[in-house]
């Protein structure tokens, strides 16, 4: 895989790569539910540390995900800012307490409660995003399709999702090739160019990229139709792996952690951990 890889399967021999795709999918779904439903800061910090450890074990390099992480970071930052702009006192309402750090203009004040609430939002990103990236970069698309099918999703939908994941690196490679061709013609699109010029150049690339993607979709659709894809109600999977003890342990760990998150609902009297009333 080259340095421009984005969200493509990266073959390796780590313990995470060896796990069954279905086990990894169940693990991802359960822990995503646990992290998204709870606002217990202690649990989210623990899950963040756990996610980062798994990320290290998966042997994923920074250059393989840098573009995606930067893209997610920008939108996450915009989301955090939007939460404050639209509801600067939401944390105060949640925690039934108000500790002002900095007086602002009108309703825009900085409170410990609001910062604590938004800190929990940031932790949710750190919990789930590494897990998603690990799953996408360590799971063969064909095995991913079989995993979706094994948990009850139609094999037609499963195969479509796998194809989309499989061709993301190809689309990015087309983007890079078109970009290099533009630069060879004298249109500066590297980091040396101005931001407006780079945005304009990117916009010019998008249209031919969409057309080439549509051509690829049509080619694949015709090939699948010629092979009578979708005629049968069921299908077998070449990349499907049998369950091993490690896979059951992974599923058991996911169930345990999800159970802990729901037990904390009872401990906290709801989804939110409130340190301001202790």
């Amino acid at each position: 895989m080259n340095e421009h890889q984005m969200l493509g399967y990266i073959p390796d021999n780590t313990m995470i790569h060896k796990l069954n795709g279905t086990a990894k999918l169940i693990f991802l779904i359960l822990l995503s539910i646990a992290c998204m439903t709870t606002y217990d800061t202690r649990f989210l910090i623990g899950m963040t540390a756990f996610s980062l450890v798994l990320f290290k074990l998966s042997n994923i390099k920074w250059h393989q995900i840098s573009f995606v992480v930067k893209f997610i970071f920008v939108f996450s930052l915009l989301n955090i800012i939007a939460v404050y702009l639209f509801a600067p006192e939401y944390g105060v309402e949640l925690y039934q307490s108000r500790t002002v750090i900095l007086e602002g203009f009108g309703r825009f004040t900085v409170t410990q409660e609001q910062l604590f609430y938004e800190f929990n939002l940031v932790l949710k990103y750190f919990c789930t995003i590494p897990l998603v990236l690990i799953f996408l970069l360590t799971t063969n698309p064909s095995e991913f399709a079989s995993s979706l099918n094994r948990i009850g999703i139609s094999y037609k939908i499963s195969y479509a999702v796998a194809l989309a994941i499989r061709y993301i690196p190809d689309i990015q490679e087309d983007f890079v090739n078109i970009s290099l061709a533009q630069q060879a013609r004298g249109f500066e699109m590297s980091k040396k160019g101005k931001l407006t010029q780079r945005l304009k150049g990117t916009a010019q690339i998008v249209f031919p990229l969409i057309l080439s993607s549509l051509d690829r979709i049509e080619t694949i659709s015709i090939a699948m139709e010629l092979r009578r894809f979708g005629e049968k109600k069921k299908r077998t999977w070449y990349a499907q792996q049998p369950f091993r003890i490690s896979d059951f342990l992974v599923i058991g760990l996911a169930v345990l952690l999800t159970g802990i998150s729901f037990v904390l609902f009872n401990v906290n009297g709801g989804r939110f951990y409130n340190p301001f009333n202790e």
Side-chain angles (χ1 to χ4, degrees):
M1 298 310 223
N2 59 45
E3 61 180 341
H4 300 294
Q5 170 96 23
M6 178 180 71
L7 289 184
Y9 170 58
I10 303 172
D12 208 330
N13 198 36
T14 68
M15 56 180 293
I16 297 179
H17 283 77
K18 294 178 181 178
L19 290 172
N20 183 284
T22 305
K24 286 190 281 188
L25 180 61
I26 294 173
F27 184 85
L28 173 63
I29 292 173
L30 289 178
L31 292 192
S32 296
I33 291 173
C35 292
M36 289 296 101
T37 54
T38 186
Y39 278 85
D40 189 296
T41 311
R42 301 162 297 182
F43 180 80
L44 292 175
I45 290 175
M47 284 302 305
T48 297
F50 180 57
S51 298
L52 294 177
V53 169
L54 291 180
F55 197 82
K56 180 67 175 178
L57 292 176
S58 64
N59 199 30
I60 297 173
K61 302 299 188 294
W62 168 248
H63 69 80
Q64 296 166 336
I65 59 165
S66 59
F67 178 83
V68 179
V69 172
K70 292 174 184 177
F71 185 80
I72 294 174
F73 173 78
V74 171
F75 278 90
S76 300
L77 181 62
L78 291 174
N79 180 58
I80 294 297
I81 295 173
V83 167
Y84 177 76
L85 292 177
F86 286 101
E89 295 283 318
Y90 187 62
V92 174
E93 298 175 12
L94 285 176
Y95 300 111
Q96 299 296 309
S97 173
R98 194 171 192 273
T99 308
V100 177
I101 299 176
L102 181 65
E103 288 286 353
F105 299 98
R107 66 192 184 99
F108 294 104
T109 58
V110 179
T111 62
Q112 289 185 10
E113 291 77 8
Q114 183 67 20
L115 290 180
F116 185 69
Y117 169 68
E118 298 204 11
F119 174 66
N120 285 322
L121 293 180
V122 172
L123 286 178
K124 287 177 178 289
Y125 298 138
F126 280 103
C127 287
T128 54
I129 291 173
L131 294 177
V132 173
L133 292 176
I134 290 170
F135 178 77
L136 292 176
L137 274 68
T138 63
T139 307
N140 187 297
S142 297
E143 189 181 352
F144 181 29
S146 69
S147 302
L148 292 174
N149 188 226
R150 289 183 77 172
I151 64 173
I153 298 175
S154 167
Y155 76 84
K156 299 177 185 177
I157 298 175
S158 302
Y159 201 79
V161 173
L163 279 177
I165 295 175
R166 184 187 298 276
Y167 284 105
I168 285 176
D170 292 339
I171 292 173
Q172 187 183 12
E173 185 177 357
D174 289 344
F175 178 89
V176 172
N177 290 336
I178 297 172
S179 174
L180 293 175
Q182 292 280 65
Q183 293 182 57
R185 293 180 176 91
F187 197 96
E188 184 60 63
M189 291 186 59
S190 65
K191 295 180 180 180
K192 299 178 182 178
K194 297 180 180 179
L195 179 60
T196 54
Q197 189 177 19
R198 290 161 60 188
L199 291 175
K200 181 180 178 181
T202 302
Q204 291 176 345
I205 291 176
V206 169
F207 184 69
L209 187 62
I210 292 175
L211 292 179
S212 65
S213 300
L214 291 175
D215 289 338
R216 181 181 286 114
I217 291 171
E218 184 178 4
T219 302
I220 296 171
S221 299
I222 293 173
M224 293 174 68
E225 185 177 352
L226 290 174
R227 288 169 175 79
R228 305 179 73 178
F229 178 82
E231 182 182 358
K232 303 293 184 180
K233 292 183 179 180
K234 295 182 179 180
R235 64 162 291 168
T236 56
W237 298 93
Y238 178 77
Q240 193 173 56
Q241 294 185 23
F243 276 93
R244 295 185 290 267
I245 295 177
S246 57
D247 300 313
F248 289 110
L249 291 176
V250 165
I251 294 174
L253 177 61
V255 172
L256 175 63
L257 292 174
T258 306
I260 291 174
S261 72
F262 288 118
V263 169
L264 290 173
F265 285 10
N266 184 53
V267 173
N268 298 328
R271 297 167 58 203
F272 295 88
Y273 165 63
N274 189 351
F276 299 100
N277 289 337
E278 294 182 350

